[in-house]
Structure formats: structure tokens, C-alpha cells
Amino acid sequence: MQTGALIVAAGKSSRMGDFKPMLQLGSISIAQRVINNFRQAGISKVVVVTGYKADVLERHLASNNVIFLRNENYATTHMFDSVRIGLEYLKDKVDTVLFTPVDVPLFTARTVTQMLSLEYPLVTPVCDGSPGHPLLIRSTLIDSILSDDGQSGLEGAVENCGTPMYFLNVDDPGIIHDADTPEDYAELLRAHNESLIRSEIHIQLAREKVFFDEQLYSLLTLIRETGSVRDACEHMHISYSTSWNLIRTLESQLHEPLISRSQGGVNGSHSELTPYGEEFLKRYARFSEKTRSCSKKIFEECFGGFLNA
């Protein structure tokens, strides 16, 4: 099992007066910054629940290798309903979920790493006495949270799940910087410009050319989970033909089949990873985790106390 991130971006941003997920922070959007924070902490499975302007946002984030779920009833439901959609999807796929609304983009990967190092089933980061995001939820609590009547939102559901919250003090004001109003956004921009420089690692495998990367890792993982190449494509907002081109290139470079396909039948076509595909995915995940861990240490050795002095 692994850790998953859940980002809710289904609302209409009515108080902001603009579409919050796609507002710019430097050269990237607020939504991309949130995704990058989780990636920097080593989290590969990132779920984004969309609703308002779903097609626009999904196209904008399609290259970020995230899983899209939709709250089709976003106009008449609350944020907890979008959270439900994400938790229902993730509950049997990960052992830990880190949840945040999309408008809290400045929390650091270090905060996420600190939270994950604890053994508590519920963790909220706190800075200067104020609780913020992301919220850590172990999967053992998800069914209890999903069964709540939702009258008091996610906060009430968490309080009613029967497990006490652990409040982790962190030196990270980004956990409490949100973007509800234009004034909040101006403050986000100021804080973004003062934020710490960090390294970003994109891991690819190549022979004559690059044949495997984070996008294909996400695609194969989704095929394994859904049993369908088409469903995996829909969740990632990429075309069916593109995905098969990627898979064929991958298999030709490895000289091994990674996907087995069965056609037709009562339940329609079905796709699954071959034993070689399963082993390849495990080894890439392990290589990625070790590479990122080493990269953090090397970055500190080379740049610690210099770039952000």
C-alpha cells in the first residue's frame, strides 16, 4: 500500500471572483503548486476532484499525471461531498490519505514528510496556534468518515469518527495561507515570492529514447486498479490512442509484454498487468523512492543554507 493525496477543486470560487485553481503563482498555477508539493514529498498517487469548469481544469492539469474524479453535482453540494468521492476511490488503494482543498498551495513537502513520519491515525499541522492543511487520514478511518451524515462537513465527520486528532506544530505558515478572496491571493503571491527553493526530480528510463516516466507509471497503476485502459485514460484525461502508443513503445523497448488483454465476453474487454509488468512497476517505484531520498540529501549538502539564506 502507499500514500495518496486528495485535492478538492470542485467549487465555483465565488468569493474570489476568478477560478482559483488556475490562478498563477509565478510560472505555475495554484493547482499545479499543490500537486508539486505532494510530489516533492514522494507521493505519486494524486487525486483531483473537479466540478465547476471540470473540462478546463482537467486539460490544464493533464500533463501532471493525476487522477481525475468528478463531482457532477458540485453546484448543489458541499465540499464534504467532493471529499467523499475522493475518499471512496482511495480507501482500498492506499493506507494513508493527505487531504487539502486546492486553495492552500504553499505548505511545504517537509511538513508532509513530518506528518507521514508519525504513527497517529489523524494528524493536522498547526502553525502559530492555527490548524491548517493538509489533513492526514489513515485508511482505517475512511469508512467511519464516509458513514457520517455530513451535517457538519468534513470537520464534523472527523470529530465523530471516534479517533482523537493529533496536532503537529510546524514552522510552516503555508499551511494556513488560503485563497478565498482577492486579498488572500495577494498575500499568497507575496508568500510565494519568499518561499524556499527546492529541487525537483523527474525520473525517466531510456534506451534509444525515453520510454518510461511518471506519466506511464500512473497509467499502468490505473490499468491495474481499473482493469481497463479506457477507464485509466479517462481518469488521467489522456486519449485512448495516445495511451496505446505509449504502451507499445514501452513494450518494444523492454522486449516484454506488460499488459495482457482479453476481448469481449459478458463483462466486455479487460486489461491487466502481466507478471513482468507488475514486477517492473514495483522496481520503478522502489527506484523512484530511493532516488528522491538521495536527492534530498545531496541537495542539502550542495545548497543547504546558500540559496535560501
Side-chain angles (χ1 to χ4, degrees):
M1 297 292 277
Q2 59 180 318
T3 299
L6 171 58
I7 304 168
V8 167
K12 296 179 69 174
S13 310
S14 54
R15 291 176 61 193
M16 172 60 70
D18 204 341
F19 190 42
K20 286 191 290 188
M22 291 177 59
L23 290 174
Q24 290 296 113
L25 281 178
S27 61
I28 62 175
S29 67
I30 283 179
Q32 289 171 325
R33 176 65 183 267
V34 178
I35 294 166
N36 286 351
N37 293 344
F38 285 127
R39 296 278 195 233
Q40 187 69 18
I43 299 173
S44 60
K45 185 180 289 296
V46 178
V47 170
V48 180
V49 179
T50 63
Y52 178 64
K53 293 189 175 180
D55 284 331
V56 174
L57 181 57
E58 289 172 12
R59 284 196 299 271
H60 172 66
L61 297 177
S63 63
N64 287 264
N65 307 323
V66 298
I67 300 163
F68 296 108
L69 305 175
R70 286 199 185 185
N71 179 358
E72 301 289 359
N73 301 313
Y74 68 89
T76 57
T77 57
H78 301 285
M79 185 176 72
F80 184 48
D81 298 284
S82 296
V83 174
R84 284 183 191 273
I85 292 170
L87 291 180
E88 187 68 48
Y89 176 83
L90 285 168
K91 68 177 184 178
D92 58 354
K93 299 177 177 66
V94 299
D95 51 26
T96 303
V97 174
L98 284 154
F99 159 74
T100 186
V102 74
D103 63 350
V104 186
L106 297 186
F107 63 88
T108 66
R110 184 171 183 271
T111 290
V112 174
T113 301
Q114 285 180 271
M115 295 171 70
L116 289 172
S117 70
L118 303 174
E119 296 183 358
Y120 297 100
L122 281 172
V123 182
T124 292
V126 177
C127 183
D128 295 330
S130 298
H133 288 92
L135 170 66
L136 182 149
I137 306 170
R138 302 295 182 191
S139 60
T140 53
L141 302 178
I142 291 179
D143 280 334
S144 176
I145 292 171
L146 289 174
S147 67
D148 191 83
D149 62 15
Q151 291 299 310
S152 300
L154 176 61
E155 183 177 358
V158 168
E159 289 178 355
N160 295 334
C161 76
T163 298
M165 179 70 70
Y166 180 81
F167 294 95
L168 173 67
N169 287 305
V170 295
D171 182 19
D172 180 8
I175 68 167
I176 54 178
H177 282 305
D178 61 10
D180 276 342
T181 66
E183 292 75 21
D184 292 335
Y185 178 48
E187 177 62 20
L188 275 181
L189 288 174
R190 184 198 64 77
H192 166 75
N193 291 335
E194 297 176 357
S195 62
L196 296 177
I197 296 172
R198 65 196 191 278
S199 66
E200 286 198 11
I201 304 296
H202 300 281
I203 298 170
Q204 300 175 322
L205 302 180
R207 184 166 269 156
E208 289 89 356
K209 57 183 177 180
V210 172
F211 64 85
F212 197 79
D213 56 14
E214 287 100 335
Q215 182 186 40
L216 259 170
Y217 176 80
S218 297
L219 179 64
L220 293 188
T221 300
L222 277 168
I223 292 170
R224 181 178 60 192
E225 292 174 357
T226 64
S228 166
V229 174
R230 192 172 298 279
D231 287 349
C233 292
E234 289 179 2
H235 282 312
M236 292 184 66
H237 206 85
I238 62 175
S239 74
Y240 186 67
S241 60
T242 296
S243 71
W244 275 116
N245 287 336
L246 292 171
I247 292 168
R248 292 188 186 102
T249 298
L250 170 62
E251 292 182 333
S252 70
Q253 292 294 299
L254 292 175
H255 306 298
E256 290 282 351
L258 279 80
I259 306 292
S260 70
R261 310 113 178 160
S262 61
Q263 299 294 327
V266 176
N267 298 316
S269 60
H270 178 80
S271 297
E272 61 183 18
L273 299 190
T274 63
Y276 182 91
E278 291 280 3
E279 183 63 24
F280 178 80
L281 215 59
K282 288 179 187 177
R283 288 174 181 265
Y284 177 85
R286 189 161 67 245
F287 173 66
S288 178
E289 180 181 356
K290 289 181 177 292
T291 301
R292 293 179 192 283
S293 178
C294 291
S295 171
K296 289 178 184 178
K297 295 176 184 177
I298 296 169
F299 181 82
E300 284 301 315
E301 289 175 6
C302 296
F303 290 106
F306 174 72
L307 288 175
N308 301 302

